[in-house]
């Protein structure tokens, strides 16, 4: 819908100066640029409005840009929902799940992992996995990780951890 040359009062069904888009344009007429998100006619727009000045710097109107971000917002919503489902799946799985960075520092563990080994999030985030393994388990773990990083499928792996209370826990 071409809007150039129309007034805001023609576009929006109100003369309320406190109504978001009208208030933002009035602010631009007073020298203040505004950016906001607008839901309008079933679409979502990122809007930027600022003062329009003549060659002497006098404000003579406003200039605005609206970008339709409806698809991006819908995609973000689907992504959030998917992430939440996977987070719930991982967090409530009965198997121990952990992730670590390339240097072997723990980044995440699920509820079952914490319950089995007795650690808390504060205990493990950034902690090198080798710090919670018996010395003889570290070399075996490093071998598994190296094989996995080059794409080898690891079907059955055994890893030994040292629980917070000192117990040795063997995981398959």
């Amino acid at each position: 819908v071409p809007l150039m040359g129309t007034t805001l009062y023609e576009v929006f069904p109100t003369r309320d100066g406190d109504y978001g888009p009208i208030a933002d344009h009035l602010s631009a007429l007073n020298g203040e640029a505004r950016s906001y998100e607008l839901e309008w006619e079933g679409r979502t727009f990122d809007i930027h409005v600022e003062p329009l000045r003549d060659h002497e710097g006098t404000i003579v109107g406003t200039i605005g840009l609206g970008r339709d971000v409806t698809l991006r917002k819908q995609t973000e919503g689907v992504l959030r929902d998917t992430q939440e489902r996977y987070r719930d799946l991982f967090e409530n799985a009965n198997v121990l799940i952990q992730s670590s960075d390339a240097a072997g520092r723990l980044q995440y563990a699920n509820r079952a992992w914490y319950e089995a080994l007795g650690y808390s999030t504060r205990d493990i985030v950034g902690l090198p996995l080798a710090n919670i393994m018996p010395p003889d388990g570290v070399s075996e773990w490093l071998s598994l990780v190296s094989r996995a990083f080059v794409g080898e499928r690891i079907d059955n792996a055994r890893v030994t951890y040292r629980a917070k209370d000192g117990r040795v826990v063997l995981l398959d």
Side-chain angles (χ1 to χ4, degrees), residues 151-166:
E152 183 180 332
R153 181 180 166 148
I154 311 292
D155 288 322
N156 295 311
R158 296 186 125 194
V159 180
T160 306
Y161 289 105
R162 194 172 44 251
K164 189 172 185 175
D165 64 9

Side-chain angles (χ1 to χ4, degrees), residues 68-146:
D68 187 340
V69 294
T70 305
L71 182 59
R72 185 192 83 208
K73 297 295 278 185
Q74 290 169 343
T75 303
E76 288 171 353
V78 168
L79 180 60
R80 261 191 314 277
D81 292 346
T82 301
Q83 287 172 327
E84 186 58 37
R85 277 195 306 277
Y86 278 106
R87 186 176 7 267
D88 186 53
L89 174 69
F90 277 70
E91 205 49 45
N92 294 308
N94 291 325
V95 295
L96 281 65
I97 300 173
Q98 70 185 36
S99 68
S100 58
D101 62 18
R105 290 182 302 265
L106 279 162
Q107 300 299 309
Y108 168 83
N110 70 344
R111 177 191 44 79
W113 193 96
Y114 289 119
E115 288 174 1
L117 298 173
Y119 294 97
S120 69
T121 304
R122 188 179 0 223
D123 294 329
I124 67 121
V125 173
L127 180 73
L129 273 168
N131 287 15
I132 59 169
M133 294 180 166
D136 59 338
V138 173
S139 60
E140 184 177 333
W141 172 76
L142 288 172
S143 171
L144 284 169
V145 170
S146 297

